[in-house]
Amino acid sequence: MEWRELDLDNCSVAATLDLVGERWNLLILREVFAGLHRFDEIIDHLGISRRVLTERLQQLSGAGLLESRNYQEPGQRSRREYHLTPRAHDLQRVLAALLQYGDTHLGDTARAPVLLQHAGCGGHVQVELRCSCGHEVAGSEVEPTPGPGAVWMSR
């Protein structure tokens, strides 16, 4: 069977893009990964409208990527802040891959605005493809093959 004969209605890439493919969703997740948790912090740093941020936070929370928690400054009303769920932490690889791609192909690596460091040793973190045999694999060496959930199109 060939790739073009595969029914992609259950494609994991498409499902993930449905979840986070909208530009603001990934940028909001980037902000929360970087430590901005409060609505006003995110809005100030992104320059997003209040309405769009409210909608996207609700969408990301509803998808199980963010959880909101109450906080209250002395003398102020109670407000919400947003934290990553374990499900969202798994997306950090995606954001790191986008960052790495942008630094390599769209920007100046010597002037990268953000570096990813390992909190344990301070070393540089990068995304790589690795085979279950332990070897690092170049993208040109990867070929998609049908998995256990593959469905073939009927002729």
Side-chain angles (χ1 to χ4, degrees):
M1 293 285 188
E2 293 188 33
W3 178 261
R4 67 176 159 263
E5 298 173 25
L6 200 62
D7 181 343
L8 296 176
D9 283 347
N10 65 342
C11 174
S12 297
V13 173
T16 303
L17 283 173
D18 284 345
L19 184 62
V20 296
E22 197 280 325
R23 177 182 194 267
W24 287 117
N25 286 354
L26 283 176
L27 293 176
I28 291 165
L29 288 172
R30 177 196 68 188
E31 298 302 296
V32 180
F33 277 121
L36 300 183
H37 300 286
R38 296 179 177 180
F39 188 93
D40 290 338
E41 294 174 324
I42 297 168
I43 213 164
D44 288 345
H45 201 240
L46 279 181
I48 186 174
S49 77
R50 295 183 80 75
R51 181 187 59 78
V52 171
L53 180 56
T54 299
E55 290 171 0
R56 297 305 184 267
L57 287 170
Q58 288 173 347
Q59 183 181 19
L60 292 167
S61 296
L65 296 173
L66 293 177
E67 65 178 18
S68 62
R69 300 176 191 163
N70 284 328
Y71 76 93
Q72 188 170 10
E73 298 287 340
Q76 300 290 320
R77 66 179 173 86
S78 178
R79 295 180 182 211
R80 313 288 292 164
E81 59 184 16
Y82 298 88
H83 294 270
L84 302 168
T85 65
R87 191 172 172 179
H89 279 287
D90 285 345
L91 277 171
Q92 190 158 18
R93 281 185 280 270
V94 174
L95 287 173
L98 289 170
L99 175 70
Q100 187 173 313
Y101 180 89
D103 287 348
T104 302
H105 298 288
L106 304 174
D108 177 0
T109 55
R111 296 173 43 98
V114 175
L115 299 175
L116 300 179
Q117 285 186 318
H118 177 214
C121 72
H124 179 71
V125 173
Q126 60 186 11
V127 179
E128 61 183 30
L129 295 172
R130 186 164 296 280
C131 178
S132 59
C133 74
H135 288 99
E136 185 175 351
V137 180
S140 60
E141 297 178 292
V142 176
E143 56 183 55
T145 59
V151 176
W152 300 103
M153 293 190 298
S154 51
R155 295 181 187 227

